Amino acid sequence: ISAEFTTYNITNSSTAFASLFKFTLPGTRDRNFGILGSVGSWGHYWSSLVSGAYAKNRALSSGSTTTATAFRADSLTVRCLKD
């Protein structure tokens, strides 16, 4: 997913939504209690890079994007991209 962010110059939530992918800021769901968090503030999209109990994801907000690591048990957004 990092390649798509670079290729389409996605640098924040505005450019993410303006892209053909229409990325939004759905937030996350807590793995222990199912509570929604960061809705409207952050979007976390899983990548396919896995290491044990963790996986990489691409996080975006109104001001930036970054690569992050999260527990695989966390509920982050899945966006299927065709090669």
Side-chain angles (χ1 to χ4, degrees), residues 13-30:
S13 60
S14 294
T15 56
F17 189 75
S19 76
L20 66 100
F21 302 106
K22 300 295 182 209
F23 291 115
T24 60
L25 304 176
T28 63
R29 184 178 294 273
D30 179 88

Side-chain angles (χ1 to χ4, degrees), residues 25 50 58:
L25 304 176
V50 176
R58 192 66 184 209

Side-chain angles (χ1 to χ4, degrees), residues 5 11-16 25 40-43 59-66:
F5 275 61
T11 58
N12 57 42
S13 60
S14 294
T15 56
L25 304 176
S41 299
W42 283 93
L60 65 103
S61 71
S62 61
S64 67
T65 69
T66 187

Side-chain angles (χ1 to χ4, degrees), residues 21-60:
F21 302 106
K22 300 295 182 209
F23 291 115
T24 60
L25 304 176
T28 63
R29 184 178 294 273
D30 179 88
R31 68 182 170 275
N32 295 309
F33 303 105
I35 298 167
L36 294 175
S38 302
V39 176
S41 299
W42 283 93
H44 294 266
Y45 293 84
W46 285 122
S47 78
S48 59
L49 301 174
V50 176
S51 178
Y54 298 91
K56 295 284 185 182
N57 67 86
R58 192 66 184 209
L60 65 103

